[in-house]
């Protein structure tokens, strides 16, 4: 279809990772709660037909090359890794395009294996938290969502610090703030080409039932 931006595959994790491992399925959604965009992987019927996905994973998807280039691909804002695939997918949804999950296409994946080996576990957590903040600042233009994010930022940061540690959360926020001017500039540029609002994206892209 002309509006299709990307198709993302079903992700299969090695059984050796155990039941306590982070769940990745490829069947993605993004939920807004208390000013945060929460990234979720949904468990479901592997034989279900193709359905919307909030984002197309960078290592488990096929992209329409022309549309990908029109959005300038994976942005340097998020270098070296994390959230860049979710961000470009969000931009595609805002543009009026679609991302779909296709369970008949299967990718076998070892969660964070390469990034942890290259950067270390603590640095990976810093990059992940930093870029999730940056994605909100770069992509979300809805006034109500942005206000909720600003008001709840101290509470959310404290909550994340309990999980990752104060040092990791502090470095993530400092790193995000350092890239804030670039994120804001890119967000302003996006307003010209957007056809859907942020709330429309959340409604349509999260329709995974």
């Amino acid at each position: 279809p002309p509006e299709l931006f990307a198709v993302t595959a079903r992700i299969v994790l090695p059984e050796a990772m155990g039941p306590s491992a982070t769940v990745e399925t490829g069947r993605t959604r993004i939920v807004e709660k208390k000013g945060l965009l929460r990234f979720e992987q949904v468990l479901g019927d592997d034989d279900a037909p193709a359905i919307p996905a909030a984002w197309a994973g960078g290592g488990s998807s096929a992209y329409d090359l022309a549309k990908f280039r029109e959005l300038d691909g994976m942005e340097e804002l998020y270098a070296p890794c994390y959230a860049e695939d979710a961000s470009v997918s969000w931009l595609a949804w805002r543009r009026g395009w679609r991302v779909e999950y296709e369970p008949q296409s299967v990718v076998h994946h070892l969660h964070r294996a390469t990034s942890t080996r290259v950067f270390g576990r603590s640095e990976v957590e810093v990059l992940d938290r930093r870029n999730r903040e940056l994605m909100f600042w770069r992509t979300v233009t809805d006034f109500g969502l942005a206000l909720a994010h600003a008001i709840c930022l101290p509470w959310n940061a404290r909550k994340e610090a309990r999980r990752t540690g104060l040092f990791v959360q502090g470095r993530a926020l400092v790193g995000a703030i350092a890239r804030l001017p670039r994120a804001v500039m890119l967000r302003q540029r996006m307003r010209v080409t957007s056809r859907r609002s942020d709330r429309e994206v959340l409604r349509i892209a999260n329709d995974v039932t």
Side-chain angles (χ1 to χ4, degrees):
E3 74 277 7
L4 187 63
F5 171 69
V7 176
T8 190
R10 175 162 59 95
I11 296 174
V12 176
L13 300 176
E15 292 184 5
M17 294 186 70
S20 63
T22 300
V23 174
E24 282 192 87
T25 65
R27 193 175 186 177
T28 57
R29 66 179 180 181
I30 296 176
V31 178
E32 188 277 332
K33 186 176 181 180
K34 294 183 179 178
L36 279 185
L37 295 180
R38 301 182 183 274
F39 296 59
E40 298 184 356
Q41 303 271 350
V42 183
L43 295 172
D45 183 4
D46 293 340
D47 296 321
I51 56 173
W55 78 89
S60 56
S61 305
Y63 296 86
D64 182 310
L65 184 58
K67 292 184 177 69
F68 187 76
R69 286 175 172 168
E70 192 171 336
L71 294 175
D72 295 327
M74 307 294 187
E75 294 178 337
E76 288 289 330
L77 176 69
Y78 304 102
C81 57
Y82 290 122
E84 68 276 18
D85 48 5
S87 180
V88 75
S89 297
W90 187 278
L91 298 181
W93 280 110
R94 289 289 305 266
R95 186 69 68 93
W97 299 333
R98 292 177 62 80
V99 176
E100 291 194 352
Y101 165 75
E102 175 49 73
Q104 300 307 308
S105 177
V106 177
V107 169
H108 294 266
H109 174 59
L110 192 60
H111 180 71
R112 290 189 174 182
T114 301
S115 57
T116 300
R117 185 173 68 251
V118 172
F119 300 109
R121 192 176 302 277
S122 177
E123 187 65 19
V124 164
E125 284 291 345
V126 171
L127 292 171
D128 182 59
R129 291 307 315 151
R130 183 197 72 183
N131 286 356
R132 288 181 186 229
E133 288 292 335
L134 280 173
M135 181 184 157
F136 194 105
W137 300 344
R138 187 262 179 269
T139 61
V140 176
T141 58
D142 181 271
F143 177 77
L145 295 179
L147 181 62
H149 183 80
I151 291 173
C152 296
L153 182 59
W155 185 87
N156 285 325
R158 181 181 177 184
K159 183 178 179 180
E160 281 299 317
R162 290 176 184 163
R163 182 181 66 84
T164 64
L166 184 61
F167 179 69
V168 167
Q169 183 63 21
R171 286 189 58 209
L173 285 176
V174 169
I177 291 170
R179 299 187 180 208
L180 177 59
R182 175 65 176 168
V184 171
M185 184 186 71
L186 291 169
R187 185 180 65 177
Q188 294 302 321
R189 187 185 304 170
M190 178 192 68
R191 291 177 182 271
V192 179
T193 56
S194 292
R195 297 180 181 178
R196 290 191 182 109
S197 69
D198 293 305
R199 294 182 188 273
E200 286 178 303
V201 171
L202 289 170
R203 177 175 57 83
I204 299 170
N206 287 335
D207 184 15
V208 297
T209 57

